Amino acid sequence: GPGGFANLQLAFDSPLVAPGDIVLVRPGTYVGAVLRKGLVVRADPGAVLSGLTFLPPERLRIEAVAAPEQVVIAGFQLDSGYVSVADCTGLVVLENIDAVQPANPNTYYPSLAVEVARCAWVSLTRLQARGRSVSLAGSNVLVDECHIESLDGYSGLSFRPSGGPGIGVQQC
């Protein structure tokens, strides 16, 4: 298919990239973007999501993806960036995401690795979040084969009750 986009946002917004398409992300450092359509985004090893620009979007935002469209985000390393999923009625799958503290202790990074709010169904599979946290609110979320470990003395996984659906955790 079409290719050669300079950044994630250009690929997501391109009329050449339709819902259901696969976007392959090559090794490199990428700043955040906003995704509002069902795509499969597969990152090669060495593809890093960074938020070092301090300009919006400092994260990969997946928002308002309507059913029956689905989003799959797979294979990214999160350096100073994070993933935010909000207001989706379509399935969102985050798999094989590695969110670690940057090697340089002087590097800014958010404490969040993943934030999910007001979504019908989100699957977190093989998420590694060491020194980062995951926030879940008002969503159905399946957490499967994940390692979430906060290093700041607070819970690495937070649930905010909002009167919404429940949460499922497997392989604890």
Side-chain angles (χ1 to χ4, degrees), residues 8-63:
L8 295 173
Q9 195 64 63
L10 289 175
F12 295 167
D13 291 345
S14 172
L16 301 174
V17 179
D21 283 355
I22 299 173
V23 176
L24 300 175
V25 181
R26 301 295 177 219
T29 301
Y30 299 87
V31 295
V34 180
L35 177 58
R36 293 186 178 101
K37 61 184 169 185
L39 295 175
V40 174
V41 182
R42 295 222 179 268
D44 283 345
V48 178
L49 183 64
S50 178
L52 292 177
T53 62
F54 295 105
L55 300 172
E58 72 285 355
R59 62 191 176 266
L60 175 56
R61 287 187 0 220
I62 303 161
E63 60 183 36

Side-chain angles (χ1 to χ4, degrees), residues 62 71 73 78 83-85 91-97 113-117 119 121-129 133-137 139-148 156-159 167-171:
I62 303 161
V71 171
I73 305 293
L78 305 181
V83 179
S84 172
V85 184
L91 172 65
V92 177
V93 176
L94 305 178
E95 64 184 18
N96 297 320
I97 305 291
V114 175
E115 175 181 51
V116 178
C119 292
W121 193 248
V122 175
S123 173
L124 304 177
T125 303
R126 292 178 300 283
L127 167 71
Q128 299 294 316
S133 63
V134 174
S135 174
L136 310 170
S139 303
N140 282 308
V141 181
L142 172 67
V143 179
D144 188 19
E145 296 183 55
C146 296
H147 181 88
I148 302 166
L157 184 61
S158 71
F159 307 98
I167 188 164
V169 179
Q170 294 183 348
Q171 294 195 4

